[in-house]
Amino acid sequence: GENVEQHPSTLSVQEGDSAVIKCTYSDSASNYFPWYKQELGKRPQLIIDIRSNVGEKKDQRIAVTLNKTAKHFSLHITETQPEDSAVYFCAASRPNSGYALNFGKGTSLLVTP
Amino acid sequence: DTGVSQDPRHKITKRGQNVTFRCDPISEHNRLYWYRQTLGQGPEFLTYFQNEAQLEKSRLLSDRFSAERPKGSFSTLEIQRTEQGDSAMYLCASSTLEARVNTGELFFGEGSRLTVL
């Protein structure tokens, strides 16, 4: 089955700096790659996603890049703010899987003022 | 409708007992998913339904786990003969069609936390 690896497991940055989280996947057939944010004690929420027919997508301070050849994708957060502190999960799914997502283990991001 | 709701939020049980969790998805969401999340890990996919049809169940953790969505609305996840290793957060999520296409965005509930003593 699909294996999604995520690095780093923890990341600490100062407010205003950029943060980058990287994921690799094993199944070359995977074509949908979302990122979810989970604040402490709360439910995961989608923050951005990318499909395999594009290489990059941006939404304000958040961007995701995808390298299909290398089978890796990354989340970039610019101008980080304390409220960005949370656990971020990458995920991947195959076509015709009903969007059954295979999640990475998560990255705990801490943004210090 | 304020989102996906799950009940109970917390369940403590003794090993060997059966437990059942309920999930009410967002109205008119045709797909419903069950995930398990343990501390420090990402959600682990268990099963999903499209309307009342269970389209993937091979990833349920053992034959002690079963799920139903009899009328295509709420769903239940049952764990029989619970074991200590079943202790986890059980998350439900739903998603909808947009222009007849599922967008992929999952709306998660707050989860049902199971503790098996």
Side-chain angles (χ1 to χ4, degrees):
Chain A
E2 172 75 278
N3 184 40
V4 178
E5 304 254 348
Q6 183 171 347
H7 300 278
S9 57
T10 61
L11 180 59
S12 182
V13 300
Q14 289 210 312
E15 183 177 1
D17 288 350
S18 295
V20 180
I21 303 170
K22 299 181 178 181
C23 287
T24 60
Y25 60 98
S26 60
D27 189 344
S28 57
S30 291
N31 68 339
Y32 175 66
F33 307 93
W35 287 87
Y36 281 77
K37 175 183 180 182
Q38 187 173 29
E39 296 177 9
L40 189 63
K42 297 194 175 180
R43 67 192 80 188
Q45 291 187 300
L46 178 71
I47 55 171
I48 195 167
D49 58 11
I50 192 167
R51 298 180 190 274
S52 58
N53 58 344
V54 298
E56 184 174 3
K57 184 176 178 181
K58 287 184 179 180
D59 183 3
Q60 300 183 339
R61 297 185 297 107
I62 294 173
V64 58
T65 58
L66 171 65
N67 183 325
K68 287 171 53 181
T69 303
K71 291 189 286 187
H72 69 69
F73 56 113
S74 300
L75 178 71
H76 305 254
I77 306 174
T78 58
E79 302 171 21
T80 53
Q81 302 166 2
E83 51 265 38
D84 294 329
S85 297
V87 179
Y88 292 80
F89 295 100
C90 63
S93 72
R94 297 169 52 94
N96 303 316
S97 68
Y99 290 106
L101 300 177
N102 298 286
F103 283 87
K105 291 186 176 182
T107 296
S108 179
L109 173 65
L110 178 64
V111 180
T112 54
Chain B
D1 192 333
T2 55
V4 177
S5 62
Q6 294 188 242
D7 182 72
R9 295 290 311 280
H10 303 275
K11 178 71 176 179
I12 300 174
T13 191
K14 292 183 179 179
R15 188 176 53 186
Q17 298 295 304
N18 299 342
V19 296
T20 299
F21 302 114
R22 176 180 169 124
C23 172
D24 286 90
I26 295 171
S27 297
E28 299 180 359
H29 275 200
N30 66 325
R31 284 189 178 162
L32 186 149
Y33 305 77
W34 285 100
Y35 285 81
R36 182 178 79 159
Q37 187 174 27
T38 54
L39 196 62
Q41 302 292 316
E44 178 184 12
F45 171 75
L46 298 178
T47 188
Y48 89 97
F49 296 84
Q50 180 157 310
N51 301 313
E52 66 275 11
Q54 190 173 12
L55 297 186
E56 174 59 68
K57 56 182 178 181
S58 66
R59 299 200 20 206
L60 285 167
L61 299 165
S62 77
D63 58 7
R64 298 184 297 105
F65 288 71
S66 63
E68 293 184 340
R69 194 183 184 197
K71 296 183 179 179
S73 56
F74 74 91
S75 174
T76 57
L77 176 70
E78 181 182 17
I79 309 173
Q80 296 184 326
R81 305 181 303 281
T82 52
E83 301 173 356
Q84 287 185 325
D86 297 333
S87 296
M89 179 73 83
Y90 291 85
L91 292 167
C92 176
S94 66
S95 72
T96 189
L97 293 165
E98 194 173 283
R100 301 186 180 179
V101 175
N102 281 93
T103 63
E105 180 174 6
L106 301 187
F107 295 83
F108 282 90
E110 296 197 357
S112 292
R113 181 171 295 283
L114 174 65
T115 301
V116 182
L117 301 177

